[in-house]
Structures are given as structure tokens and as C-alpha cells.
Amino acid sequence: MTSAARAKRRSPSEAVADRVAGIGWERAESDLDAQGWAVLPKLLQAEECERTSRLYDEDPLFRSRIVMARHGFGQGEYKYFAYPLPPLVAELRESLYPHLAPIANRWHEAMGLPVRFPAKHAEFVKRCHAAGQTRPT
């Protein structure tokens, strides 16, 4: 079976998880350490970006809209999704978290902060909810 045929048989979440697994995580971690951000090439396909950007006009999907100038943050605006999250966003969170949590834990250790992030995203969400943070951010 060709890789294209295998890709068609995978669920969208498997495809996202495969792309996340294929990220050069050593480079991403190095970039995060050096500059606080990293580019993750080919994480999303063009149609996924287009489909997700079209969600911005669907106000019922969002719990909050922030106008940056109103808060002295500059120009523009951003929105926070409400639950349930769009499937792609939820899949990205679930797939990226296990790679990012160890980096965050290393940073916390370096800063002398005692809090550590759990290994699984579901455990992190559970911790947040127990602490009263029940809205997605």
C-alpha cells in the first residue's frame, strides 16, 4: 500500500498525530529555549488552515472576544474558543501536549518552580478544572 493510500485510510486525528510525531522536536525545543517560539513546518495542511480560519466568523463557537487596544495590548483582536473545541483544535492540543510538557517541566525546574505538568493532556485539563479553570484558553 502506498503512503498516499495509507493516509486516506487514517482518521484525521491519526494524520494530525503523525504530523506532530514527525516534527523535529530537538530543533523545536532548541528554538523554544533560544527565542521562546518555534516554527513547526507542515503541522497543518492548507485546507485545515483555511477551514479553521473560517471559524472566526462563527461567534457561537467562542466564549470571549478580546479587543487588544481596549487593554493596551496593541491593535487587533482575538477570541477564545468555547467547549466543545473544534475537533482539529482538540486534536492538536492532545497531540502536542506530550511533547511540550517536558519542555515546560524543564523550564519550571530551571526557574526553581515546584509545579510540574503531568504527562498527559487529559490529566492537565483535569487539574485545571479542579483548580476552577473550566474554560478552554
Side-chain angles (χ1 to χ4, degrees):
M1 178 181 300
T2 68
S3 60
R6 275 193 302 277
K8 286 182 180 180
R9 291 184 56 188
R10 291 181 305 197
S11 72
S13 61
E14 289 173 324
V16 168
D18 287 348
R19 281 183 261 151
V20 168
I23 289 170
W25 282 105
E26 286 181 20
R27 172 65 186 264
E29 184 171 357
S30 175
D31 288 349
L32 286 168
D33 286 344
Q35 57 210 22
W37 56 271
V39 174
L40 306 178
K42 299 182 182 180
L43 177 59
L44 296 177
Q45 297 173 342
E47 64 271 9
E48 291 169 324
C49 292
E50 290 170 21
R51 188 172 60 245
T52 302
S53 69
R54 286 193 300 269
L55 297 177
Y56 200 78
D57 293 327
E58 296 184 33
D59 286 335
L61 295 175
F62 298 91
R63 66 171 180 82
S64 177
R65 175 178 171 254
I66 307 301
V67 177
M68 294 170 60
R70 196 177 304 155
H71 302 283
F73 297 157
Q75 296 180 352
E77 68 176 41
Y78 58 94
K79 295 181 182 180
Y80 288 103
F81 281 113
Y83 282 125
L85 294 171
L88 179 61
V89 173
E91 292 162 11
L92 286 167
R93 284 180 169 204
E94 187 74 27
S95 296
L96 289 165
Y97 181 88
H99 299 278
L100 296 172
I103 298 168
N105 283 332
R106 185 173 51 75
W107 288 2
H108 269 209
E109 184 176 349
M111 292 185 289
L113 299 173
V115 175
R116 297 295 179 266
F117 296 91
K120 296 186 179 192
H121 183 254
E123 294 168 11
F124 175 69
V125 171
K126 185 176 178 180
R127 180 194 289 177
C128 291
H129 288 186
Q133 177 59 42
T134 58
R135 301 180 305 174
T137 58

